[in-house]
Amino acid sequence: TSTAEGLLRQVEPDVYVKGKEYETNNDPRFLAEREAVERAGGRVVFSSGDVVFSSTALIAAMEHTADPFQQRLTQLMHVAELSGPSLYSMLASFRGKRVVVIGEPIIDTYILCDRPEIASESPVMTLRPIEARHYDGGAAIVARHAAALGAKPVLVIPLPRSPEGAAMVKRLEAEGVEVRSVETGSGVPEKQRFLVGAQKVMKLDLLEPYVLDAHQQEEFLSLGVEAAREINADATIVTDFGLGLFSGKVLSRLCREVRAFTGVLAGDVSGKRSNLRAFVGADLICPS
C-alpha cells in the first residue's frame, strides 16, 4: 500500500512520528494519515530532521549507486534465463538438498549513525551511533541462506563454549540449520560497519585469529568430512575468510577428503587470497 492510513485506523496510535520533511507537506496521502491519527485522539510528531529514515530514499540511493556489484545485479535482472519460470524452477530444486557448510562464523554488525561531523580537536570524522543491528555472518549466513531455499544444511564451525556461542547455535537451529562445532578459546569474530544513510563510512574488524592446535585441527577436519559422508551431501561449501582457521595444507586435505562424499564442492573466499590454490578438486570458487 502507498500509505499507512488503513493500518493507522486499526492501530489508533497515541503518537505517529514522521520525518521533518513532512512538517509542511500537503500531500493528500499524508493528510489522510494525519486525519486518521487525530480522529482517534492521537497526534503527529515530526522528527528533528538530523536523520532521514526514508525507505524510498534508501532504495533510490541503492539503485543509483556506482557500486559494480549492484550494477551487475541490475544487468542480470534482464537476462532471459534468469527470469520467470526457469529461475523459480531452479530455486525450487534446492528443496530437500543436503548441504554441508564448513568455515568460520562471523557476527556482522551494522551501526546506523546520524550525519558525520569533523571533530573540533583534530581533522577526524565524528559519528553518533543511533542503532546497532547484529546478524549471523560468515559460514553461518551461507547455511541460513541454504535453509531459506529449502535445503537441509549442516554447519561445521569453531565456536566458543560461552553464552554468545550458545545463542548463535539457538538462532541457527531455529532457522533449520544443524550445527556441529569444535570448541575454541576465542570469541566469535565480529565485523562492524558504520553507516550514514545508505553509505558505509567505516568498517571495524574485531577479529581475533583462530589458533587451533593439532588435535583441534584433526577434530575439525573429521567433523567436516564425517558430516559430508553421513548425509551423502549434494553439496559442500567451504568458506575461508582468512581468520587463521585454515592453512593451505589443512584446506587442501579437507577438500580432498570431502570430495569423495559430495556432489558439488564449492569455495567461498574472502579476505586473504593466499589459499586459493588449496581448493583442490573444487567445482566452483568465489573469491569475491
Side-chain angles (χ1 to χ4, degrees):
T1 180
S2 58
T3 77
E5 179 187 0
L7 178 63
L8 293 170
R9 292 191 185 280
Q10 294 182 42
V11 176
E12 298 184 350
D14 294 319
V15 179
Y16 182 44
V17 181
K18 295 291 284 186
K20 188 75 172 178
E21 67 273 19
Y22 285 93
E23 194 166 11
T24 58
N25 191 314
N26 292 317
D27 188 313
R29 295 173 297 178
F30 166 62
L31 294 179
E33 292 180 346
R34 183 170 188 166
E35 189 271 338
V37 172
E38 294 177 345
R39 175 180 292 181
R43 58 194 178 97
V44 177
V45 175
F46 303 100
S47 65
S48 65
D50 290 341
V51 188
V52 178
F53 292 108
S54 168
S55 58
T56 304
L58 291 175
I59 293 171
M62 292 175 65
E63 289 178 345
H64 295 92
T65 181
D67 178 53
F69 297 105
Q70 181 69 25
Q71 292 179 352
R72 180 58 177 152
L73 285 173
T74 302
Q75 293 174 353
L76 290 173
M77 289 172 62
H78 300 289
V79 176
E81 292 82 358
L82 298 179
S83 61
S86 60
L87 179 59
Y88 301 142
S89 175
M90 181 182 69
L91 293 175
S93 70
F94 279 86
R95 183 167 298 279
K97 297 294 185 184
R98 302 307 308 266
V99 179
V100 176
V101 182
I102 307 171
E104 312 105 316
I106 296 174
I107 296 296
D108 284 321
T109 298
Y110 291 84
I111 301 175
L112 310 182
C113 306
D114 65 1
R115 62 189 63 181
E117 298 178 349
I118 301 299
S120 58
E121 68 270 17
S122 59
V124 296
M125 185 167 54
T126 298
L127 297 173
R128 182 167 66 93
I130 297 173
E131 180 184 356
R133 300 175 183 175
H134 308 278
Y135 303 93
D136 295 323
I141 194 58
V142 174
R144 286 189 64 168
H145 285 325
L149 286 168
K152 298 179 179 179
V154 176
L155 176 62
V156 180
I157 53 176
L159 206 60
R161 180 176 293 178
S162 66
E164 180 187 31
M168 174 174 277
V169 171
K170 186 176 180 180
R171 290 192 301 271
L172 291 168
E173 289 180 342
E175 296 293 331
V177 178
E178 179 186 341
V179 180
R180 304 183 186 184
S181 64
V182 59
E183 184 180 341
T184 63
S186 55
V188 180
E190 181 181 2
K191 294 183 179 181
Q192 295 183 351
R193 297 167 178 86
F194 293 78
L195 290 81
V196 176
Q199 181 65 45
K200 295 178 185 176
V201 296
M202 188 175 74
K203 180 184 175 188
L204 187 62
D205 288 341
L206 305 176
L207 308 175
E208 184 178 342
Y210 287 103
V211 180
L212 273 63
D213 59 30
H215 175 74
Q216 289 173 313
Q217 286 186 351
E218 286 295 326
E219 182 182 1
F220 188 71
L221 280 168
S222 297
L223 279 178
V225 175
E226 178 61 22
R229 185 198 65 78
E230 182 181 308
I231 69 174
N232 191 25
D234 294 295
T236 297
I237 305 169
V238 182
T239 67
D240 180 12
F241 290 90
L243 304 182
L245 179 62
F246 297 111
S247 65
K249 182 178 180 181
V250 169
L251 189 55
S252 293
R253 181 181 163 193
L254 174 65
C255 290
R256 286 193 179 95
E257 295 187 16
V258 165
R259 177 75 273 185
F261 306 112
T262 189
V264 173
L265 177 60
D268 177 15
V269 187
S270 183
K272 296 180 180 179
R273 309 297 198 274
S274 56
N275 288 336
L276 274 176
R277 293 171 62 87
F279 281 91
V280 179
D283 300 294
L284 171 69
I285 303 176
C286 300
S288 58

